[in-house]
Amino acid sequence: MPDPAELLSALDPEQRVVASTLTGPMAVLAGAGTGKTRAITHRIAYGVATGVYDPRQVLAVTFTTRAAGEMRHRLGVLGARGVQAKTFHAAALGQARHFWPRVHRTAFPSVLDNKMSLVAEAAGRLRVRVDTATLRDLTGEISWSKVSNVTPDGYARHASGRSVSGVDPDTVGKVFAGYEALKRDRDRVDFEDILLCTAALLAEHEEVAAEFRRTYRWLVVDEYQDVSPLQQALLDLWRGDRSDICVVGDPAQTIHTFAGARADHLIDFPRRHPEAQVVRLVRDYRSTPQVVKAANLVMSAAGSGPSASITLQAQRPAGPEVALVESADESAEARTVAAWLAGLAERGVEWREMAVLFRVNSQSPSFEAALADRGIPYLVRNAERFYDRAEVRQALLVIRTEARVTPTDGEAQSTLARLRGLLSGLGWSAEAPTGAGAVRERWESLAALIAVADDLVAADPSVDLAGISAELDRRAEAQQVPSAQGVTLGTLHSAKGLEWDAVALVGAHEGTLPFVLAQSPAEVAEERRLLYVGITRAREHLQISWSRSRNGGSKRNPSRFLDPLRPAETRNHGVGGARAPRTKQSRRTVQSATCRSCGMHLESAAERKLGRHTGCDPTYDEGLLETLREWRRQEAAEQKLPAYCIFTDATLTAVAEAEPTDERGLLKIHGLGRVKVDKYGEHVLAIVDNARSERSSEKDC
């Protein structure tokens, strides 16, 4: 058992208050890089070391498997083994499966993989005609209702200002009720039901609540700014009339309101708990004063709201100034970023300690190409969880199996040589493959595993394959993603919770940051917080860049969020970087000769433009088409033009069919020439990419 005094001696004054105040309600407002996880894990460890806490009676909840795994690891190192550190849903699912059979005399129902089919069936039974877009909206609205504690009967009363593809609130409520009935009939629950069922067990059965509260005496909630009303209700039931709860979060990092996150639970905690002690962690240990100043300036411009109240205080020595860089076009911006990263590498910064962060995935290809041209290794961080990738699962199985085999004297190899030999059979090679695609992604995954092994052997040359296998399995359970020797490319959303020595924030211009679909003040405010999250990922080197045009086309302005960082005389017009000269480019279009749906020959020009027979089923995402139409409506209203002057319905349908990933793909669509691609291409590509990312996220869940 560690010495309690030594645990506290490792903390700063504010962290020490958090760690040593073991009873009563506490709210910790923790800015980025201020050591919030350190503070709360030391709090738990100190409570265990002093005998105030029984580790088996502590429940710590957070929002990701990776964060829960990291918390368990730190607690183990601090001597606080036995503490339950889980995600909200994992904790609730365990409780539901434990108590449900006792109360209902049957096993807890199976969890639905996807609720859309049952929503469609419920709508059909009510003779409500729905297309794919409407079905998607109805499904999303049901999820929002459930995390917001809105029942089917009460939906119409709470639906003021909400829009569901033209379906009236009463009908939405009836579809919601029908969906719930179908689930009950088939003995199924959905993702939100895990929390709802657990809450019902506690609320309706006092003996269940009493047993839970005897089991868990102390509650700690990480990332509290992200709790939904349903999660807050469950927390209240877990707690009962006791006051021993510690919550920690940062309102300035609330970037998931679309999933029901409500920072006001954190902000209003002192009002709900007047006896609560509130501690602000403001000492930033991650970033240099220059990076911290940029983050503070961006958030201070948001006004006097609660999210601007945490002003970070840098603790690190001074570093280089934050660079604001304007380029003529996106290709030039990508080349500039690649050159900057190459210069940092020459000064000793490792590739794995660099990142290029953007708002949407469609911005990635130009930076991938620029890095490849310079021979810079890179890895693309996508929505799929690393340890869920097929090649990673296969590699871990192969390593685990081989680790059980003891090589003969004649076959003896070094541990790393054995590992590389195993993974070379799965697609790894000493040199990265050229280009992008599945081969590159597979190589990146395997290279990341080898990088972990390299680090383990460097730390302990005696480690064998079994030791490497055990460590990889531990990291997989904790969703601790390895970092190979390559520059990370990823979205701002995917970067939350991570950090690098050097960060290039790219595409920081109007229409992308804030995103074109962010219209309301609340949506724009969330985009600002997203930039703040990106800035605070950098430890030392930070470059923020934008380009004046996509490819020599119409001009665009730097993001309004950068105004506090730019000299007054340069705002709303560039800070250097000449506009690239316009060059004539040939207009090339490719029309489909065969139908996407049936494969038969297309006769008419209209069908060739569409890519299918008008009588064949569409092959596009109808939700994407509706989003494109909504964007077109907004553009037309702003420019005071008829909608067809922006794009015709046929052109938007062709975009939804093709889902182009870059400018070249747009130019292949009939009706999209150079002028319109220059003017609207960036927004169209961003919308297409956003729809693709949402589909990927839904599949992940």
Side-chain angles (χ1 to χ4, degrees):
M1 184 69 66
D3 179 7
E6 289 184 5
L7 287 171
L8 294 183
S9 68
L11 306 176
D12 69 28
E14 294 80 22
Q15 292 171 344
R16 196 173 300 127
V17 171
V18 174
S20 59
T21 307
L22 299 177
T23 59
M26 171 175 282
V28 183
L29 300 178
T34 58
K36 68 177 180 64
T37 306
R38 180 180 182 82
I40 59 175
T41 53
H42 276 72
R43 182 180 197 267
I44 295 170
Y46 183 74
V48 172
T50 56
V52 177
Y53 295 171
D54 180 337
R56 297 166 298 179
Q57 291 187 302
V58 179
L59 176 62
V61 288
T62 187
F63 284 82
T64 67
T65 305
R66 182 187 63 80
E70 174 66 16
M71 194 178 296
R72 285 194 299 272
H73 176 68
R74 292 201 193 190
L75 288 170
V77 171
L78 294 172
R81 296 175 182 84
V83 173
Q84 292 293 304
K86 297 183 175 182
T87 65
F88 265 99
H89 283 84
L93 184 59
Q95 294 160 33
R97 285 175 171 165
H98 176 76
F99 290 116
W100 191 270
R102 192 182 308 179
V103 171
H104 297 285
R105 306 300 179 191
T106 184
F108 188 68
S110 300
V111 181
L112 281 171
D113 290 331
N114 190 311
K115 60 169 70 78
M116 286 185 70
S117 60
L118 286 189
V119 175
E121 186 175 344
R125 290 189 176 190
L126 292 168
R127 300 185 183 280
V128 177
R129 300 186 63 180
V130 293
D131 55 19
T132 303
T134 305
L135 180 59
R136 184 192 299 274
D137 285 352
L138 280 169
T139 302
E141 193 68 2
I142 288 172
S143 294
W144 172 85
S145 300
K146 297 179 81 165
V147 301
S148 301
N149 278 335
V150 175
T151 64
D153 290 342
Y155 176 80
R157 296 194 304 274
H158 292 85
S160 176
R162 301 187 67 81
S163 174
V164 188
S165 297
V167 182
D168 65 88
D170 286 331
T171 302
V172 173
K174 291 176 181 177
V175 172
F176 185 4
Y179 164 75
E180 292 296 307
L182 285 170
K183 282 199 292 96
R184 286 193 298 272
D185 291 344
R186 293 170 192 182
D187 196 29
R188 294 289 185 271
V189 294
D190 59 27
F191 195 61
E192 293 82 18
D193 285 333
I194 295 172
L195 301 184
L196 284 166
C197 289
T198 306
L201 285 168
L202 292 163
E204 298 169 9
H205 302 277
E206 183 54 40
E207 71 279 9
V208 171
E211 183 173 337
F212 173 86
R213 292 165 193 160
R214 284 195 303 270
T215 304
Y216 295 110
R217 177 74 176 80
W218 316 93
L219 296 177
V220 178
V221 188
D222 190 20
E223 301 288 1
Y224 191 59
Q225 77 278 352
D226 286 336
V227 297
S228 67
L230 174 55
Q231 288 165 331
Q232 180 60 52
L234 182 58
L235 279 171
D236 290 339
L237 288 164
W238 281 345
R239 184 174 59 86
D241 59 1
R242 298 179 312 200
S243 60
D244 293 312
I245 181 171
C246 174
V247 301
V248 58
D250 181 5
Q253 295 190 69
T254 306
I255 59 173
H256 294 109
T257 57
F258 57 86
R262 293 252 307 260
D264 56 334
H265 292 125
L266 173 60
I267 297 164
D268 294 341
F269 189 87
R271 181 182 57 78
R272 300 196 312 275
H273 302 271
E275 72 279 23
Q277 183 160 355
V278 178
V279 181
R280 283 176 167 78
L281 301 184
V282 298
R283 301 173 196 251
D284 186 306
Y285 297 96
R286 176 187 300 159
S287 305
T288 63
Q290 288 77 7
V291 173
V292 168
K293 179 181 178 181
N296 285 336
L297 285 172
V298 165
M299 288 310 298
S300 66
S304 57
S307 64
S309 63
I310 300 177
T311 301
L312 299 174
Q313 299 174 8
Q315 303 298 301
R316 289 189 56 183
E321 292 297 324
V322 174
L324 300 179
V325 180
E326 177 183 279
S327 298
D329 55 38
E330 286 189 355
S331 295
E333 181 183 8
R335 291 193 300 272
T336 300
V337 168
W340 181 65
L341 296 174
L344 292 175
E346 290 176 358
R347 302 205 298 273
V349 181
E350 292 187 273
W351 296 122
R352 73 171 78 186
E353 290 297 345
M354 305 181 195
V356 178
L357 303 180
F358 32 77
R359 177 61 179 83
V360 290
N361 281 310
S362 61
Q363 296 170 267
S364 183
S366 59
F367 294 93
E368 293 179 46
L371 294 178
D373 286 346
R374 273 190 168 262
I376 297 175
Y378 65 87
L379 305 99
V380 179
R381 184 180 180 87
N382 56 32
E384 183 185 19
R385 297 205 302 184
F386 178 82
Y387 293 101
D388 289 342
R389 298 176 187 175
E391 65 271 18
V392 174
R393 294 199 305 270
Q394 183 183 18
L396 294 182
L397 177 60
V398 168
I399 296 169
R400 198 178 302 122
T401 302
E402 181 66 16
R404 301 191 187 106
V405 178
T406 302
T408 65
D409 291 341
E411 297 174 338
Q413 293 176 295
S414 73
T415 298
L416 290 178
R418 284 181 72 193
L419 181 66
R420 290 189 172 96
L422 289 173
L423 298 191
S424 64
L426 301 180
W428 177 81
S429 59
E431 296 295 328
T434 58
V439 173
R440 169 81 192 205
E441 291 174 1
R442 186 179 187 85
W443 181 89
E444 288 177 355
S445 298
L446 300 176
L449 296 178
I450 288 176
V452 172
D454 287 341
D455 290 344
L456 292 174
V457 171
D460 179 8
S462 67
V463 70
D464 59 9
L465 201 60
I468 291 174
S469 177
E471 176 62 14
L472 288 172
D473 286 343
R474 184 195 69 77
R475 294 188 184 202
E477 182 183 1
Q479 289 297 318
Q480 186 177 342
V481 179
S483 58
Q485 273 298 359
V487 177
T488 298
L489 278 74
T491 64
L492 291 166
H493 278 102
S494 73
K496 189 168 184 283
L498 303 175
E499 57 187 77
W500 296 269
D501 285 345
V503 170
L505 282 173
V506 302
H509 51 260
E510 290 291 311
T512 297
L513 194 66
F515 191 53
V516 62
L517 297 181
Q519 297 293 316
S520 70
E523 290 168 336
V524 172
E526 183 145 340
E527 295 288 304
R528 181 187 294 276
R529 295 194 294 270
L530 199 54
L531 175 61
Y532 171 84
V533 167
I535 289 173
T536 54
R537 299 312 94 193
R539 298 190 191 105
E540 184 171 359
H541 307 278
L542 175 63
Q543 177 173 288
I544 305 175
S545 63
W546 65 93
S547 54
R548 292 291 285 174
S549 71
R550 183 168 181 82
N551 276 305
S554 57
K555 288 187 176 182
R556 56 194 181 191
N557 290 320
S559 170
R560 71 194 77 170
F561 303 147
L562 300 182
D563 280 355
L565 310 182
R566 302 170 60 215
E569 64 272 14
T570 67
R571 296 173 189 170
N572 301 320
H573 47 81
V575 293
R579 180 184 178 189
R582 292 293 301 271
T583 57
K584 282 193 172 184
Q585 298 190 28
S586 60
R587 175 178 172 180
R588 298 176 61 196
T589 61
V590 177
Q591 296 183 353
S592 302
T594 57
C595 176
R596 295 174 187 266
S597 296
C598 70
M600 301 299 289
H601 185 68
L602 297 173
E603 298 291 342
S604 70
E607 289 181 337
R608 288 195 297 273
K609 176 180 179 180
L610 189 58
R612 61 177 172 83
H613 297 110
T614 54
C616 286
D617 290 336
T619 58
Y620 55 81
D621 181 336
E622 295 187 29
L624 168 60
L625 181 58
E626 287 303 310
T627 303
L628 288 167
R629 285 174 173 160
E630 173 60 22
W631 164 78
R632 181 184 63 177
R633 184 193 65 76
Q634 293 174 5
E635 283 287 336
E638 184 176 326
Q639 298 183 43
K640 297 186 168 75
L641 292 172
Y644 66 81
C645 290
I646 309 296
F647 286 127
T648 64
D649 280 347
T651 299
L652 289 185
T653 301
V655 170
E657 290 267 9
E659 291 201 8
T661 59
D662 54 22
E663 186 178 279
R664 184 180 302 175
L666 281 173
L667 288 169
K668 290 181 179 180
I669 297 173
H670 184 69
L672 276 177
R674 169 53 59 188
V675 173
K676 288 203 171 183
V677 167
D678 285 346
K679 191 169 185 179
Y680 304 118
E682 179 183 6
H683 290 174
V684 170
L685 287 173
I687 290 168
V688 170
D689 182 69
N690 197 57
R692 192 181 297 113
S693 296
E694 286 183 356
R695 289 200 302 270
S696 176
S697 296
E698 288 173 3
K699 184 178 179 182
D700 242 8
C701 292

